Every structure is written in C-alpha cells, then in structure tokens.
Amino acid sequence: MKIKLTKIFVSLLIGTVSFVYFGCDSSVNIKNVPKFKFSAWQVYNTSNTSDVLLNNNVRAIIQDKFGNIWVGSADGGVNKFDGTSWIGYTLTNGLTGSSINALFEDSTGLIWAGSQNGGVYFFDGDSWLNYYNYDGPPIYAVLSIYEDDLGNIWFGTNAGVSKFDGFSWISYDHTDGLNGTSVSAIIQDSNGNMWFGSSSSDDLGGISKFDGNLWTTYNSNDGLPDDSVFSIMEDSFGNIWFGTGEGISKFDGVEFENYSTLDGLASNKVYAIIEVSDKSIWFATVSGVSKFDGTDWTSYSDSEGLAGNRVRSLIEDDSGNMWFGCYGGVSKYDGSLWSTYTTSGLPGNRTTDLYYDSLDNLWAGTIDFGVGKFNGFSWTTFTKKDGLIGNSVTSICEDSSGNMWFGTTDGLSKFDGEKWVSYTTEDGLGDNYISEVVKGSIGDIWVATQTGGINKFDGSVWSSYTTADGLVLDWTTSIMQDKQDNIWVGTLGGLSKFDGNDWTTYSVDDGLRDNHIDFIFAGSSGDILAGGTDGVSKSDGKSNWFPMIGMWFPYSTVNSIGEDDLGGYWLTYDYGVVNVYSTNWGTYLFNRYNFPSLGIYDVAKDKMGNMWFATKDGLVKKSAEITVKGSHAIEWFDTNAQVGFKISLYYDTNKMDFDGTLIVANIKEVDSLNSYSWDTSSLAKGTYHIYYIYSYEGRAVRLYDNTPIVVE
C-alpha cells in the first residue's frame, strides 16, 4: 500500500531552497509554496502533527482579559485556545526556547513567557520577542513571573529573582537576602510585600519576604514542613498559603498551620494553589488536585477525568470552570463534566520503539504518553485510559493473528483492535519492566524483561527461562528469533542462544566487543548483529564474533539497527545514524539531514522501503530512492493555489546551482493537478535530481526534491 501523507506533514521540510528577487514588489509567501511529496528527510513531532496541543506535558496555564486560555508546555511552546480552536506558537513565531515554565499577562495586556533555556519572552500580538542576558537577567531557567502594583515585572529564575520596570533590570540573590536561588513562586500581598518561594538546593530555600528595603526569611526551622516551596497564594482573609515538597502551610502572620495527605491532600508535593470564587482553595499536586472548603477535602485524579495526575498549574476562568495543566494534557472541569485536550498527532516526542504492522500502520511508542498509531492520514493515541497497562512503551510487535503487543515499564498489553488484555508478574512475567517483545515462528510470544529473565507465552501458558536454566544473566535487554528458530537474548553480561534444548553463551572471549548487549538483529543474509556500549559485532550465527570494521562513530554506543531493501544496515546512536552497504559507509549527524534531536533510539522500515527513526524529540523518515522506467509522476502538495503563480520543473545530476534541464515550463498553479508525468525514456541510466521554480511576476522560489530519481 502506498503511504499517503496529509499536507500538514509534508509541508515541514522543503529540501534545498533558494529565493530569487528580480526587483519586483510582488511577494512569494514561503508558507504557501508547493512541497514535493517525497522529501528525503521528514520530521514528525507533537508540534507539527497536532492541531490541538503542541505537547502534552503542560507546565503553565492562564486566561487573558479577552477570555483566551494560554498553555505553556515542555518542548512544545505555547498554545492559545479561544474556546473553539487552538493556535500554536513555536520557533517559527520567535520562541527559540520551546520549554515553557511560566506564563503571565501584565496590566497592559502583554503575555509573558518564561522558558527553561531561552530566557524571557513577551508576545506583541503577532510574534514573540526575547530578552537575552544583556537586556536583563542571565539566560537561566525562568520559573515564575509576577507584576507588582507599580507595574514592575518580577521573574523568578534558578539563579535568583529579577525585577524589570520597563527600562532597566535589578537582580537579587542570596547575597542580597533572598532565601535560596531557584525561585518557583512570586506574589505581592495586600500590604505591598513581595513573597518568594525557592527550592532547597545547597541547603538554601524556603520563603523570603521583601518590603522594598528589608528581607525576612522563613524555612522549616520556623514551621514550614519543607524548605522547597513551589507555590504561594494569599487568600481573601489575608492568610498566605505555601505549597511545598512535604505538604501545605497556611501563615497568618504569626504562625504556620500545616496540612498533608493525612488531612486529605492528594499528595504532599504541591505545585500550585488558587482561591476560587466560592472561597474554596484548590491545590495542584503530583497525584491529582485537591479542593479544601475550610472543613472538607475533595480530591480528583485521572480516574475522575484529569488528563494526568501530575498537575503543574490550575486556574478558574471567567465562567467558573476549572482548568488544569497536567503531565498528559489540559483538563477543564465545570463542576460536573470533564473535558480533556491533548495532542491530536504523535502523542509524545520522546519516541522509543517503532513498528509497521501488516495493515501498513506505523506504531510509535513513547515515554509517558502511550503509543500512537499512524494510518498514513491521522494519528490515534492509546494510553492507560484506553486499556494500555502503562504509558511508557518500550517495545511493540504484532503476532500471527494480527494482535498488537506492547511492552511497557508496567507490564505487557495485547490489543486486538477492540479489547485490551494485560499481563504482569501475577500472570507469569518475570518482571513488569519489559525490555522487548517479539513474535515467535509458531505463533508464540517471547518477552525479555529487565530483571526477571525471559518468558514465552503460547496463548495459554507462560514459561520462564532464567540463569537457572542456562541464561547468562537475568537482566535482559533484547530478544530475537533467527531463521533457524534459535532464540537470541541480549543481557548486561553477554549474549545467550537457545535452540529449544540447549543454551550457548557468547562473551568478549568469543569476539564480542562488549558483554553489555543492547540489541540483536538478524540480517537478510543470515548474519547476526549484536551491539551496545562498545559498537557492533557480527557473526554468521555459527562461528565466533567479529567487530564490524570501518564504522565511524563519535561515540561507540549503538542503540538499534535496521536493514533497508538494498541490504544496507542502519545503525542508530546518540548523535545520528550510520548506514552500511558492504564497503560503503554513510554518516548522518544531528543538526544535519533534519534529525530533530540527539538520541536516536530505534529504526524501522515501512512497506515502501522508507526508514523511520525514533528519537527523543520526534520521528524522522528517510525516503528511499525512486526507481523509474519510462514515465515518472512528479507530485507535490499545494495547500493554497494562487492565481498568477506558475511552476516550472527541471532536473540535474548534481543537485547544485539550479542550472539543470527544463522538464516543463509555466504550469499554472490554479490549473494544476499537483502532478506532472515526466517521460524519462530519452535519459541515460543514472541518478537525477528534480527541482522547480515557483514564480510570480518576476519573483521566485527554487526548490530541490530531496529524493533522488534513479532511471533504469
């Protein structure tokens, strides 16, 4: 089946681009230019596959004076929700620091954002502008933002607190009297005093009060339950509430009154506190949210409807609805009904395992956000709420009946398309942490567990194999069945082979580069490859092991391996991928060829021969070469055809300089079917590169397709 991608996906990477200006006032909008369907490298992440939230790890949430809900997330940027639709702001809008810790609207209507690694931003209504360290505070993590009654904006960072009056900056740290360095909370009380909550790093932390001249500090010696203070709030009676790592404190100006889980709080680690219109107080914790009406406690978790139990922020909107920013998305509660908003695309950027099933669906496992299924058009997410036993997915496979199996850090789940069945140590697993799950040749399922050896499931009965049976070590990392039905098991102490009766162990004494084995792979030629912290070793499965010679790695740890349709191996490691074709070696590094991040954990091949890579910041697809005999359909996506715009197609042999041969000139964009049939019969055999010139009244954009065309 041909995999078709929606326009939102393929418009991400546009290959080699050149802008040509001929002194004309007309403009070509780069957002609207056509994109070739087969770009060689394409990136998929939560930002570009979702039309709702950019990321499910929500850290900050506010409502502005117009009623819009603003959401800041880790590695996702900022979202705005107007009650109907979501808008995302990321790097293209000026947010170079995409992990957002804090959001705040000041008295003039400016939206401020504090990032984890990019300093302070404010939104001018169109784009985000950044204050660097030479404008004010050093570029540390900005954890909290507040405006005092004089219009000064205060920023809590992991190096103190800074005040900005619109022109100049003043910074304070522990040398000035601030208690602690990492300031997570700021408020001004009704008497004009500034309060700061900080963490307990370096034995500093607790509460600091600043009246403009003098500092007063409080910590656990004064009655606080803990010196890590994450949130502060003044209630309508003048009491100051503090959320700490060990419970809540209410301070009446004289003494502290403390509350904990023993009183009804969902968890003792409290990230945020607010008082709502009915005078009840809500607390965001790592185990849900709690409401305290002065007498009784009520708690809510994901069982009631929260997007996730780890709640970092909460607000009450103008209509009295409660909004919660969770590690899992955003939830709204109107007092009786829950609404949840999450990413509608890839569920999480930190992808761990990839699998293409027999129906051509791509499955992507993630850390903390479950598993996503991509059918070529849209994504579907499955989490614990749907029946998956755990949201951190380590391994995926399909059995001979079409059931999908998911190994997680909490057990093993089977999904038949409608129903979920899960297995744990209570059912016979050696350990609930699943390292890898694979299909056996006779319909059985083999499972490698972290500390409990391996298991086989025949559909009814679980069998276990440990060191007592001949396995070299019970801490297993990987499992594979070869063409001779041998079971190979990678461990932290070497490699074991099981032929159904006897066990054979291989170690560095037999030629392995290292006894720490992270993966095993059976090549189409019959080679067995095993790799880990010291590179890759290869064997024909019968004789000793030999190191694969010729590979260039900045670091030797190899995370996974796959094979393409040409028999080439693709090895992934923390800084990129290496592909191996007998004597030819190619290296693709982070920040080149569109890899979105350091850390490439897995590789898989789809039915079209494309190679997919799981990284800590999303998925990357490497398109295969296109082999052509006779005519070839050049196809492109076009989301906004415009009158007067024309497309001319060319080819060359070196993908340089845009000085090739014309294929066809001046296809009207509005009349185009988004494809052109190119007759290659007169071309010599070889590799060619296509590009177009997209023009309008003397102004043009030139674009190479990243996928080579091989004419046979």
Side-chain angles (χ1 to χ4, degrees):
M1 176 185 290
K2 180 178 178 181
I3 298 175
K4 298 180 180 178
L5 302 178
T6 58
K7 297 177 182 178
I8 188 171
F9 298 137
V10 187
S11 64
L12 305 174
L13 298 176
I14 57 178
T16 304
V17 182
S18 173
F19 297 89
V20 184
Y21 302 96
F22 298 104
C24 177
D25 291 335
S26 302
S27 64
V28 176
N29 187 344
I30 187 62
K31 294 181 179 179
N32 297 327
V33 301
K35 314 295 190 303
F36 284 115
K37 278 192 176 180
F38 291 98
S39 293
W41 297 90
Q42 295 165 1
V43 178
Y44 302 83
N45 54 38
T46 56
S47 297
N48 59 45
T49 63
S50 178
D51 55 7
V52 188
L53 285 183
L54 296 173
N55 190 284
N56 285 332
N57 187 355
V58 177
R59 294 178 174 176
I61 186 167
I62 63 170
Q63 184 180 36
D64 67 23
K65 62 183 180 181
F66 299 107
N68 300 304
I69 300 294
W70 294 78
V71 175
S73 60
D75 299 320
V78 175
N79 281 101
K80 183 178 75 171
F81 181 54
D82 63 6
T84 303
S85 59
W86 292 83
I87 299 174
Y89 301 96
T90 59
L91 177 65
T92 57
N93 309 102
L95 280 175
T96 54
S98 60
S99 288
I100 304 301
N101 294 321
L103 291 170
F104 187 83
E105 182 186 25
D106 69 20
S107 56
T108 68
L110 284 179
I111 303 295
W112 294 82
S115 73
Q116 181 66 24
N117 50 21
V120 179
Y121 298 84
F122 69 90
F123 186 60
D124 65 0
D126 182 51
S127 60
W128 292 86
L129 305 178
N130 182 228
Y131 281 107
Y132 292 94
N133 56 340
Y134 51 78
D135 292 316
I139 302 179
Y140 298 113
V142 178
L143 307 175
S144 52
I145 309 173
Y146 191 85
E147 182 181 17
D148 65 26
D149 55 11
L150 298 178
N152 300 305
I153 308 296
W154 294 77
F155 302 94
T157 78
N158 62 354
V161 65
S162 294
K163 181 179 72 172
F164 181 51
D165 64 5
F167 300 97
S168 59
W169 296 80
I170 300 176
S171 295
Y172 305 91
D173 60 21
H174 66 279
T175 62
D176 300 292
L178 183 67
N179 198 3
T181 55
S182 192
V183 179
S184 300
I186 310 172
I187 70 161
Q188 185 178 37
D189 67 23
S190 53
N191 295 316
N193 300 303
M194 299 299 301
W195 293 79
F196 307 96
S198 56
S199 69
S200 58
S201 60
D202 300 325
D203 295 325
L204 298 171
I207 305 164
S208 302
K209 183 178 74 170
F210 183 49
D211 65 6
N213 295 298
L214 299 177
W215 292 85
T216 305
T217 60
Y218 306 89
N219 57 32
S220 54
N221 294 326
D222 302 295
L224 274 177
D226 186 50
D227 288 339
S228 289
V229 178
F230 303 109
S231 52
I232 311 175
M233 185 273 299
E234 182 181 22
D235 66 24
S236 55
F237 302 101
N239 301 302
I240 309 293
W241 293 76
F242 304 97
T244 79
E246 294 293 339
I248 301 163
S249 277
K250 182 178 73 171
F251 184 54
D252 62 6
V254 178
E255 59 183 4
F256 293 92
E257 182 179 359
N258 297 331
Y259 302 89
S260 70
T261 54
L262 298 176
D263 301 290
L265 187 63
S267 169
N268 285 336
K269 192 169 187 177
V270 178
Y271 280 127
I273 311 172
I274 64 167
E275 183 182 36
V276 299
S277 52
D278 66 0
K279 306 303 180 185
S280 62
I281 298 177
W282 290 72
F283 306 91
T285 83
V286 296
S287 298
V289 295
S290 295
K291 181 179 74 169
F292 181 52
D293 64 7
T295 302
D296 298 320
W297 292 83
T298 305
S299 293
Y300 304 90
S301 68
D302 57 4
S303 300
E304 282 75 35
L306 271 177
N309 284 334
R310 189 173 182 177
V311 185
R312 293 290 298 266
S313 53
L314 72 172
I315 62 168
E316 181 186 30
D317 68 20
D318 295 338
S319 300
N321 301 305
M322 296 298 300
W323 292 78
F324 307 98
C326 311
Y327 195 67
V330 172
S331 291
K332 183 180 75 170
Y333 180 54
D334 66 4
S336 58
L337 299 176
W338 291 84
S339 301
T340 296
Y341 304 90
T342 60
T343 58
S344 61
L346 183 67
N349 283 338
R350 192 172 183 185
T351 50
T352 55
D353 196 54
L354 297 174
Y355 191 89
Y356 250 89
D357 68 20
S358 58
L359 299 177
D360 293 350
N361 299 302
L362 172 67
W363 295 82
T366 73
I367 296 293
D368 294 326
F369 298 115
V371 63
K373 182 181 77 171
F374 180 51
N375 64 5
F377 300 95
S378 60
W379 290 85
T380 304
T381 297
F382 301 95
T383 66
K384 289 175 65 175
K385 293 181 179 179
D386 303 290
L388 185 66
I389 194 169
N391 284 337
S392 289
V393 177
T394 56
S395 182
I396 308 170
C397 84
E398 181 182 18
D399 67 22
S400 54
S401 299
N403 301 305
M404 298 303 302
W405 291 78
F406 305 96
T408 78
T409 56
D410 298 306
L412 183 69
S413 290
K414 181 181 74 171
F415 181 50
D416 66 4
E418 295 182 358
K419 295 183 296 183
W420 292 84
V421 179
S422 293
Y423 304 92
T424 66
T425 53
E426 295 180 357
D427 302 290
L429 282 176
D431 184 12
N432 286 335
Y433 193 111
I434 308 301
S435 300
E436 189 168 17
V437 54
V438 298
K439 176 185 71 173
S441 60
I442 58 174
D444 45 6
I445 294 294
W446 290 83
V447 182
T449 71
Q450 188 175 80
T451 61
I454 66 170
N455 296 100
K456 182 182 73 170
F457 184 56
D458 64 6
S460 301
V461 179
W462 288 92
S463 302
S464 297
Y465 303 88
T466 65
T467 52
D469 302 289
L471 184 66
V472 64
L473 195 69
D474 286 340
W475 191 301
T476 65
T477 59
S478 50
I479 190 167
M480 180 270 295
Q481 187 173 42
D482 65 21
K483 294 179 180 179
Q484 287 73 43
D485 291 341
N486 298 304
I487 297 296
W488 294 79
V489 184
T491 79
L492 298 189
L495 186 65
S496 290
K497 182 179 75 170
F498 180 53
D499 65 7
N501 295 299
D502 300 317
W503 291 84
T504 305
T505 296
Y506 302 91
S507 68
V508 292
D509 295 334
D510 303 292
L512 287 178
R513 293 180 64 96
D514 188 70
N515 285 336
H516 184 146
I517 304 299
D518 286 323
F519 71 86
I520 318 165
F521 184 81
S524 58
S525 64
D527 291 335
I528 305 296
L529 285 80
T533 57
D534 196 28
V536 180
S537 301
K538 182 174 71 171
S539 171
D540 60 8
K542 301 176 183 177
S543 59
N544 287 342
W545 292 80
F546 302 94
M548 294 185 71
I549 304 299
M551 284 183 294
W552 178 82
F553 290 112
Y555 294 91
S556 57
T557 298
V558 180
N559 297 326
S560 64
I561 189 167
E563 185 177 8
D564 63 26
D565 286 339
L566 300 177
Y569 294 127
W570 292 80
L571 296 91
T572 77
Y573 62 111
D574 286 344
Y575 287 81
V577 299
V578 171
N579 69 299
V580 185
Y581 295 96
S582 60
T583 59
N584 296 321
W585 302 76
T587 301
Y588 303 91
L589 299 180
F590 165 66
N591 227 10
R592 298 176 61 193
Y593 301 98
N594 299 313
F595 270 109
S597 74
L598 302 173
I600 298 91
Y601 302 129
D602 195 26
V603 55
K605 179 177 69 70
D606 66 23
K607 301 300 189 295
M608 299 296 295
N610 304 307
M611 304 301 295
W612 292 77
F613 302 91
T615 83
K616 74 180 185 66
D617 285 321
L619 304 179
V620 177
K621 185 182 80 170
K622 171 67 171 68
S623 295
E625 291 182 338
I626 300 174
T627 301
V628 175
K629 290 183 179 180
S631 296
H632 167 62
I634 303 172
E635 300 177 288
W636 56 90
F637 285 119
D638 198 344
T639 60
N640 187 24
Q642 302 173 82
V643 175
F645 286 74
K646 297 178 181 180
I647 301 170
S648 297
L649 298 171
Y650 299 80
Y651 71 88
D652 64 22
T653 59
N654 59 5
K655 200 179 178 184
M656 294 175 60
D657 303 326
F658 298 96
D659 58 356
T661 302
L662 179 69
I663 299 173
V664 61
N666 298 327
I667 300 173
K668 294 181 180 179
E669 188 181 16
V670 292
D671 296 336
S672 172
L673 297 176
N674 295 340
S675 67
Y676 179 79
S677 181
W678 177 30
D679 184 3
T680 65
S681 59
S682 62
L683 296 179
K685 292 182 179 180
T687 300
Y688 298 88
H689 302 274
I690 300 170
Y691 67 91
Y692 69 55
I693 296 180
Y694 177 66
S695 60
Y696 177 74
E697 294 184 358
R699 201 169 216 185
V701 173
R702 304 185 298 188
L703 170 67
Y704 271 106
D705 184 1
N706 276 331
T707 304
I709 305 297
V710 178
V711 176
E712 294 187 342

